[in-house]
Amino acid sequence: MDKAQREALAARALALSQANATEVSVASEDAALTRFTHNAIHQNVAYAQTSLRVRAVLGTRVGVASSNDLSAAGLERTVARAFAIAKLVPPDPSLPPLTDAPRADAPPGAFVGATAGVSPATRAELAAQVFDRMRASELWAAGYVATASAGFTLANSAGTVQSFDNTNAGINVKANGSDASGFAERYSCDVAALDARGRAAVAAEKASRSAHPIAVEPGRWTVILEPPAFGELLEYLAEHFSAQAFHEGSSFLSDGLGRPYVGENVTVWDDYAHPLNVGMPFDFEGTPTVRLPLIDRGVGVGIVTDARWAAALERANTGHALPAPNAEGPQARHLVLEPGTASLDELIADTERGLLVSRFWYVRAVDRRATIVTGMTRDGTFLIERGKIVAGVRNLRFNQSILESLRTAEFSRDCARTGGYSYSSVVPAARIRNFTFTSVTEF
């Protein structure tokens, strides 16, 4: 559905509601994924779906219902079901009123027509470019090429109407040899920016250079984390910037805003309009999202709010609500860490002895409040001696406080968008001293 169709559907649903107040959201997505392994495509999946979600308010009671049956009868059933549920649920004395907000403008570059119109043949051609490089290097690749277009509309009985359309594309390449592997990725709103040949070359070079890996002793190391590795660590801080976590005491910021937590060179934003990671300019309550600093030159300065937590803490609503009701509270959705001044090559050249890490896997929280996480290196870990990469090394398990890492970190001047199934952020490479590895694997 396009914007006009989604808004017309939302208006019809609002007109059907008998509730005191009603919120309707319409989400549409057309997404496809081409997977490959051993230099051959083995799976192509695609789906297109539009769903409608109704939140009906009766006094301080709320009922929620959703459906992908968009027929006239289906619409009536969904609206009626939300109303019926609202009659049954317990009252919520702190329920905030629905948002009355002006339209929020989408940042430039969010929607690229060429990405929305990508065919399976185009994704197959990008995969073929990867295979060509792997065969030339006597390696085999696994990974995927993904494309998607999506639209979201929210309208409520208070008069708010918000719509956003966007596209996304991604390529993930793991190059595999007999005893080593290498990784590369790229994400963009524009499929033309994926550069399959370039990503394949990076992954292949890492796999070739890390062949016959050696074991190094665990302990405290200087590490240089490339964006896929560093971005995953940073994402574990996202929940700490929630007003709910701040109030309940599970955030490191619960010790107080306005005090230093990390190095003076660390500035973190939540920025939906960053050109590398363009996002929705409003939240799931329809409130325009504010671009705001969360850490400013090492000092914790910001938390994100929604309608409920803005009222509870007597703060401004920053427009970071998840679909209500939810147990998680408001969330920062587009973390950006400001870059430094050195290139990645310069960080390596300036390292007497350390490890270069391409990415992590199986990262899990050990102590949320202390920001301690554990995980393993993967797909390209290298020994640095006297400023040069000298060998691939076997993977290692780490146990590390993220805040401690950011107290000594130095950053490259080039940033990249990185992400996973549930996050997307913009980060530079980072050099971190005294990063703790606890054991070495056999591969």
Side-chain angles (χ1 to χ4, degrees), residues 244-285:
Q244 178 172 312
F246 173 79
H247 176 74
E248 293 178 348
S250 60
S251 166
F252 71 86
L253 291 170
S254 300
D255 288 338
L257 296 175
R259 53 166 288 182
Y261 287 95
V262 292
E264 292 183 358
N265 63 330
V266 178
T267 294
V268 179
W269 288 76
D270 184 88
D271 184 3
Y272 71 88
H274 193 285
L276 292 179
N277 193 24
V278 182
M280 195 165 74
F282 55 90
D283 68 8
F284 290 93
E285 294 175 334

Side-chain angles (χ1 to χ4, degrees), residues 3 6-7 103-104 106 152-154 161-165 281-282:
K3 170 184 172 181
R6 295 194 309 270
E7 292 186 0
R103 282 193 183 257
F152 182 78
T153 289
L154 184 141
V161 180
Q162 304 280 22
S163 286
F164 176 66
D165 291 88
F282 55 90

